[in-house]
Amino acid sequence: MHQIHDFNPGIAESGLFWTIRLPADSVHIDFEDATASLDVTDLEIEDYHDIVNALQDGPSVPARVSYHIRWRGVKQRVKIRDTANNFAGRFIEDTATIAWSAREQGFKFVSDPARTSTNEFSVVGLERNRIFFPQTDAELDSAEDLQAVLAADTSG
């Protein structure tokens, strides 16, 4: 293995890994217009150097990452409703661009500009599951519902 950097937020005591809460204002979604963005600047994170060390929550060094992702366009819209598993969602397959950077003491990486990035598959969507499973399709179809979900998710 030749990996020398693995930037991630680590493993929480609960066992949840590679996941971190971001400020609500870093995400912007216009589901009806099929656009979304995620902007993160100087997020404090760890560099675990390789995947094995990261999965073992081994030694790491402090680092910072920034990334700017833009989704837009519509290749197709998909609606899923799985009552057996209490899962429902509206999704847009689209295209995305990304620019990102990482830095730590003695090292810095900056990607090429976002306009030069390409991707094979991108999707943005609204999904609900378990106790948040919508009882009707109308609950899932409303653009206002999406904004309410995002606003409610900023607590805690």
Side-chain angles (χ1 to χ4, degrees):
M1 181 184 325
H2 299 293
Q3 182 181 359
I4 57 172
H5 295 283
D6 189 314
F7 299 99
N8 73 71
I11 302 172
E13 287 185 27
S14 68
L16 184 64
F17 62 97
W18 299 340
T19 304
I20 192 168
R21 180 177 292 276
L22 296 173
D25 64 356
S26 64
V27 178
H28 300 280
I29 300 172
D30 185 332
F31 205 73
E32 299 311 312
D33 194 37
T35 60
S37 64
L38 174 62
D39 293 294
V40 175
T41 302
D42 285 333
L43 177 67
E44 292 182 14
I45 203 149
E46 300 293 317
D47 181 359
Y48 287 85
H49 302 290
D50 65 66
I51 187 74
V52 174
N53 186 53
L55 290 171
Q56 295 172 345
D57 201 19
S60 62
V61 297
R64 291 185 179 266
V65 296
S66 297
Y67 43 95
H68 307 282
I69 307 171
R70 302 284 181 271
W71 292 265
R72 67 172 188 215
V74 177
K75 291 182 180 178
Q76 71 173 324
R77 290 181 186 262
V78 177
K79 186 188 290 187
I80 298 170
R81 185 170 186 77
D82 180 348
T83 56
N85 293 298
N86 288 342
F87 177 87
R90 290 188 313 150
F91 304 94
I92 299 173
E93 181 183 350
D94 54 16
T95 59
T97 59
I98 183 171
W100 80 277
S101 64
R103 63 184 163 93
E104 63 188 55
Q105 187 170 346
F107 173 79
K108 181 177 182 180
F109 173 84
V110 178
S111 73
D112 288 335
R115 64 180 159 66
T116 66
S117 66
T118 59
N119 70 312
E120 299 297 319
F121 178 81
S122 295
V123 66
V124 64
L126 164 67
E127 65 95 1
R128 292 228 184 137
N129 59 55
R130 314 244 334 133
I131 64 170
F132 302 106
F133 180 68
Q135 299 305 306
T136 67
D137 281 346
E139 285 182 84
L140 188 63
D141 288 341
S142 162
E144 293 78 26
D145 187 47
L146 174 60
Q147 296 305 323
V149 169
L150 290 172
D153 193 39
T154 61
S155 63

